[in-house]
Structure formats: structure tokens, C-alpha cells
Amino acid sequence: MEIVLRKHVCFAKLFLRVQPREIFYHTRNSLSEDIADEKPIFLVGQHDIAIIQEEDEKTGILNNDKKRIRDQSIQYKLRDKTRQFIDYIRVVVKGGTGGDGCVAFNRERFVSKVPPSGGNGGRGGNVIFVASPNHSSLHSVRRVINADRGQNGKGHMQHGSAGKDVIIPVPLGTIVREIDPQPNKKQLENIEEEQMNNNENLDEETKLAKKRAATWVHYPRYDEKNQLGSFFLEAEKMIEEEERYNRSLKTKEEKLNLDLSVLNAQYVVARGGSGGKGNPHFLTNANRSPKYATKGQEGQVKYLELELKTIADAGLVGLPNAGKSTFLTAVSNAHPKIAPYPFTTLNPYIGTVDYSDRFQLTIADIPGLIQGAHRNVGLGYSFLRHIERSKVLVYVIDLSENQPWEDWIILQNELEKYRPGLTKRPSLIVANKADITEKAKKNLPIFETMFKEKEQEIIIVPVSAKYKKNIIKVTTLLRQIVEKAREKEDRE
């Protein structure tokens, strides 16, 4: 007799055969070795917890004390490592629409004229960006972001609650710029419809009817009566004046251009629309029972481009296979991929260098550059945006090449063509692979004399990143240069 357990794992059905305990005790000796060695294992699904029950070798009883539990948060982190790195994206953000105002009255017995009691609608939700240190890529940002709508007002002066704000965490160092939208087919169709509605051939009555339908909320069976009254026309003029004033404020607003470089700082990029007014808002001495209210306004719609520029104290620049990733692993807590072929590093990595006195500095590693990278040769120049904020540039040169100084000249030219003046920042040259061959030992004095002839104050440090030789000297010099750069920034 066997019990068949059915388990859904990753949208697939698995059938596990488990012997019942009562039968398992009596028939264990008669089972073959293959069946006796089997253990019931519940595999891990997308939202499951793995529980592995182990069998005691002496008694053959399933031991429930030995369990292995895998948390969902760990699974998410493991899945997050395999996602594509994104440092440039275009998104559409939409603030929530405000709730509609309510038309209501406090009904009482034996009272013919009662005061209005309709509540105002709640405002729409805002779209907020937060500079988060826990994110290193823009892959989690949705292409279209919509905030929640505000609730409608209710009777007995119950105002609608505001729509929930949408908080989007973005990596620290993200630049947000507002751009002009590029209309697609649907937007072009909407524009054509608006042009048709604004056409002179369209009746003015039809235009006015559409405008009123989009603005006003009427008491039941009072749609036509309200529009014929003088009180409604006065209220309509008042709302039009408010709309003109709001339009004048919108024209004064400049386009967004934000730099999210402050830790945990929040920025509202799209505001929700204001809620509609209830009928008590239109109460006057002459009009004691207004039977109309306004609808909520639509939220802001903005087209944004997000560009990630990593914030680091030092940036590693070098040709492919120069040993940048190995050097970053030797001096910091980062663990990028290391392999003996070019373009191993495809995404930027950031490592933190810890000193004995609790001083810290960050180092950014970018993919290798080759000659012609400014023309998008190789992996292109897009990753150079991650060293634009670096205070210090660290050139990693392979000293075992025939003429390593030519590699340094290539890097200087590519950086200068990408952004003029980038090479004038404080810099340090790490002559890597100094212990491989005798050729490296001969190239070092030639490399040093070249800088002395040009009278350039750049320090060259020979190291072996693979075997961590002369690493302490590099980190000490790097700290001195970074401290000077920070002091200079503080003074400015």
C-alpha cells in the first residue's frame, strides 16, 4: 500500500511516493536497498518552502527535527542576480485622478428645505521617487507608473480619502529628466479626435455639452434643470476662473531635471489631481440647495528618462583583460566575474575598501574600453557615465604587454573624446601583472621615465592583483588622493 502525494512545483505536477509509517515499520527489511534509500523530498517552487525530512539510519523513522527551510527573500535575491542590468530607461508617470464631489442633503422629517451635505472628493495619489542604496539597477522600474485614484465624496459631509501614493525606489545617483513625448498610433488618434472636436464645423452646443459632462455631477433628474438656472451659470463662471488660474501656474513650471544623489531623499515627479467640490461649496444666501458638484481633476502626466550614474570615489579604467576585476576583488568586498577572456565584465560593479580606522571609500569597475569605443566599438562608451562622478581615476594597465604606455594613451584619448576635461581629474596608474615575465620588469622603468619627461605628476604602482602583492601601497595612496579630493569639494 502506498500513498501518492501531489505537489505543484513551478506550474508542474510532481508525484512523490511515500510509504506510510505503519506499513513502513513492518516492511522495511523486505524492501530492496534502492527503495530503502529513497527519501521523501518536497522540492522548492516559486513560492514554496523546502522541507527535507531525513530518515534515521538505525530506526528507519522519519526525523522531523532535521528540516531545511529556504526563505522567499533569499530566493528573490538569487533571482535578482540574474536580471539584466539597466542604467537607462524611459518611463511614463501618471498622477491619480481626484475623486468626484457628492450631491447630497440631510433629510429630516417635516423639514422641506434641508442644508446640503455632500463631501468633497479626495485628491489623487502622487508618484514619488526615492533614492535607495539597496538598488543598483533600473530593472525594477516599470515603464508605465500609475498612482491610485482618490475616493468620491459621500453624504453627511464625508470627504473622500486621498489616493495612495506610489513610491518607486531608484538607485542612488539616478538622474531624472523630463522629455517631450513621442506620440504613438493611439496618441495620434486621440489628437485627431481632439482636433475634430475643436473644429469650427462642430456645434457650440455640442462642445458645451461635452465640457459640462466632463466637469459637473448633477443630482438625479436635475441634469437639464440645473443648466437652465442662473445659479448654475454663476458657479460655472467661478470654476472657469479657477481653471484659468491653475493653467497660468502650470505654464510657469519648468521641466523636471533632478539628481537623486541624496540618500533616502524623496522627490514628487507627478502630482495627483485635486478632488471635486461637493454641493456645499456652491451654497450661497440666494441658492440654499445647490444640486450640482464638480468632478475630480486628472493628475499630471509626464514622460521621463532615467539615467543611472554610479556614485563612487574612484573609477577603474582599463583595456579588456587588464585585471580590473581582479584588482577590485583584491582591495574591496566586491566579487565580480573573473575569467581569462576579454569583456568578462559586462556590468558596473562597486566595491568598498575598508581601512583599520573605519575609513571607507568606494571603487567602481566598468567594462573594458578599446580603441574606438567613442564610436560604439566593442561595448561602446555608455558605461563611461558610471565614472563621471568619480573623484579619482585609476588606470589599470597590463605591464606584461609589449608597449603598455600605448594602452594608457588609448584610454586617455577615449575618455577625452567622451567628455572633454575628464582626464584632468586626479589619477593613479596601477601597473598590473608586474610579476608575470621579465618583460614587465623592463617596461616599468621605461613607463616611469616617460612621465618624468612630460612632467606629469602621476604615480605608477606595480602590483600583482592575482597574488595581492603591493596592494597596501595602492590603497594607501588612493586614500590620500581621495581625501584631498573630498577636502577640495567641501571648500567649493
Side-chain angles (χ1 to χ4, degrees):
M1 178 179 180
E2 292 182 347
I3 298 176
V4 179
L5 298 181
R6 180 176 296 174
K7 185 70 176 175
H8 292 273
V9 179
C10 294
F11 308 103
K13 295 181 180 179
L14 299 181
F15 298 92
L16 304 176
R17 297 184 179 274
V18 183
Q19 294 286 343
R21 289 194 179 185
E22 298 177 358
I23 302 174
F24 188 77
Y25 296 154
H26 300 288
T27 61
R28 183 180 184 278
N29 296 328
S30 62
L31 294 175
S32 62
E33 295 181 358
D34 295 335
I35 300 176
D37 292 338
E38 290 182 358
K39 300 176 183 180
I41 298 176
F42 298 86
L43 300 178
V44 181
Q46 188 175 4
H47 302 287
D48 296 333
I49 295 178
I51 302 177
I52 296 181
Q53 299 181 350
E54 296 188 0
E55 176 188 339
D56 195 351
E57 295 180 356
K58 296 181 180 180
T59 60
I61 300 174
L62 296 175
N63 189 1
N64 294 326
D65 297 333
K66 298 180 181 180
K67 295 181 180 180
R68 185 182 69 194
I69 299 177
R70 183 179 296 178
D71 193 4
Q72 294 180 11
S73 61
I74 299 176
Q75 291 183 359
Y76 176 78
K77 291 178 181 177
L78 293 175
R79 291 197 302 269
D80 190 60
K81 295 290 185 182
T82 61
R83 294 176 186 257
Q84 184 180 5
F85 178 82
I86 298 175
D87 56 359
Y88 182 84
I89 189 176
R90 288 186 174 181
V91 298
V92 181
V93 292
K94 299 178 181 179
T97 306
D100 299 339
C102 178
V103 184
F105 299 91
N106 285 329
R107 294 297 179 189
E108 298 179 8
R109 295 181 67 181
F110 309 113
V111 178
S112 58
K113 294 182 179 181
V114 292
S117 63
N120 299 332
R123 66 160 181 84
N126 301 325
V127 180
I128 302 173
F129 284 174
V130 180
S132 172
N134 301 324
H135 291 72
S136 59
S137 174
L138 296 172
H139 68 265
S140 61
V141 181
R142 302 191 301 271
R143 302 302 190 273
V144 179
I145 303 171
N146 296 319
D148 291 344
R149 189 181 189 276
Q151 291 187 357
N152 298 334
K154 298 179 181 179
H156 300 285
M157 297 301 291
Q158 298 182 30
H159 302 303
S161 60
K164 188 176 180 181
D165 296 336
V166 177
I167 300 177
I168 306 296
V170 296
L172 191 66
T174 304
I175 294 177
V176 181
R177 286 187 292 264
E178 187 176 356
I179 59 175
D180 295 328
Q182 296 180 355
N184 51 25
K185 292 182 179 179
K186 291 184 179 180
Q187 292 173 350
L188 290 173
E189 291 176 358
N190 294 333
I191 292 171
E192 290 178 357
E193 289 181 1
E194 291 179 359
Q195 291 177 354
M196 290 291 293
N197 294 336
N198 296 328
N199 195 359
E200 296 180 355
N201 297 329
L202 197 64
D203 297 336
E204 292 184 1
E205 294 181 358
T206 309
K207 292 181 183 179
L208 186 60
K210 287 186 177 181
K211 184 179 179 181
R212 286 177 174 176
T215 307
W216 295 96
V217 178
H218 299 278
Y219 198 68
R221 297 187 300 275
Y222 273 81
D223 299 359
E224 297 180 357
K225 293 181 181 179
N226 288 336
Q227 296 177 13
L228 298 175
S230 60
F231 297 126
F232 177 78
L233 297 177
E234 292 177 1
E236 195 172 29
K237 289 180 181 178
M238 182 179 66
I239 295 299
E240 287 178 357
E241 289 177 0
E242 291 181 1
E243 289 179 354
R244 283 196 215 100
Y245 178 74
N246 293 333
R247 270 191 237 110
S248 64
L249 293 178
K250 289 180 181 179
T251 55
K252 295 178 182 178
E253 290 183 357
E254 297 181 356
K255 290 187 176 182
L256 283 178
N257 192 0
L258 304 175
D259 187 358
L260 279 66
S261 57
V262 180
L263 188 63
N264 294 325
Q266 297 186 0
Y267 302 87
V268 179
V269 295
R271 297 189 178 276
S274 58
K277 306 295 183 182
N279 60 335
H281 182 75
F282 305 98
L283 180 66
T284 61
N285 292 330
N287 185 13
R288 305 305 298 174
S289 59
K291 296 179 176 58
Y292 42 82
T294 57
K295 293 184 178 180
Q297 297 181 358
E298 294 185 355
Q300 292 179 337
V301 180
K302 293 187 178 180
Y303 296 82
L304 307 175
E305 64 176 9
L306 309 182
E307 183 180 6
L308 174 59
K309 293 185 179 181
T310 305
I311 298 177
D313 296 317
L316 299 181
V317 184
L319 269 66
N321 263 8
K324 300 187 301 300
S325 300
T326 308
F327 175 76
L328 184 66
T329 305
V331 300
S332 69
N333 57 355
H335 299 284
K337 183 180 179 181
I338 300 173
Y341 54 83
F343 299 114
T344 307
T345 303
L346 298 177
N347 304 324
Y349 285 89
I350 299 179
T352 305
V353 183
D354 298 319
Y355 293 85
S356 57
D357 58 348
R358 295 186 178 181
F359 181 85
Q360 290 183 339
L361 61 87
T362 53
I363 301 178
D365 179 23
I366 64 172
L369 298 175
I370 62 175
Q371 190 170 7
H374 66 280
R375 299 191 302 271
N376 264 348
V377 178
L379 293 180
Y381 58 85
S382 60
F383 288 107
L384 285 175
R385 64 167 65 101
H386 296 282
I387 63 169
E388 288 184 15
R389 300 177 184 268
S390 299
K391 303 177 182 66
V392 181
L393 296 180
V394 179
Y395 299 93
V396 181
I397 306 297
D398 187 358
L399 202 59
S400 63
E401 295 290 335
N402 293 329
Q403 294 179 342
W405 45 87
E406 290 186 356
D407 296 347
W408 180 77
I409 294 172
I410 291 172
L411 295 174
Q412 288 266 310
N413 293 333
E414 295 300 327
L415 292 178
E416 197 65 27
K417 289 177 180 178
Y418 171 73
R419 171 168 285 191
L422 190 60
T423 57
K424 295 180 180 179
R425 296 185 183 181
S427 56
L428 176 69
I429 295 178
V430 175
N432 194 22
K433 303 180 183 180
D435 60 335
I436 292 181
T437 59
E438 293 294 331
K439 187 187 298 184
K441 297 179 181 179
K442 294 178 181 179
N443 289 334
L444 180 60
I446 300 173
F447 204 2
E448 292 175 343
T449 54
M450 187 183 72
F451 286 102
K452 291 179 181 178
E453 293 176 356
K454 293 183 179 181
E455 297 180 355
Q456 293 182 353
E457 297 180 357
I458 299 179
I459 303 175
I460 302 175
V461 184
V463 300
S464 175
K466 183 177 181 180
Y467 299 104
K468 298 183 180 181
K469 293 182 179 180
N470 214 17
I471 294 297
I472 297 177
K473 184 178 179 180
V474 176
T475 54
T476 304
L477 291 173
L478 188 59
R479 175 177 177 175
Q480 295 175 1
I481 300 173
V482 170
E483 284 180 343
K484 290 181 181 178
R486 288 180 180 179
E487 291 176 359
K488 186 178 180 181
E489 281 188 358
D490 294 338
R491 277 177 284 171
E492 293 177 353

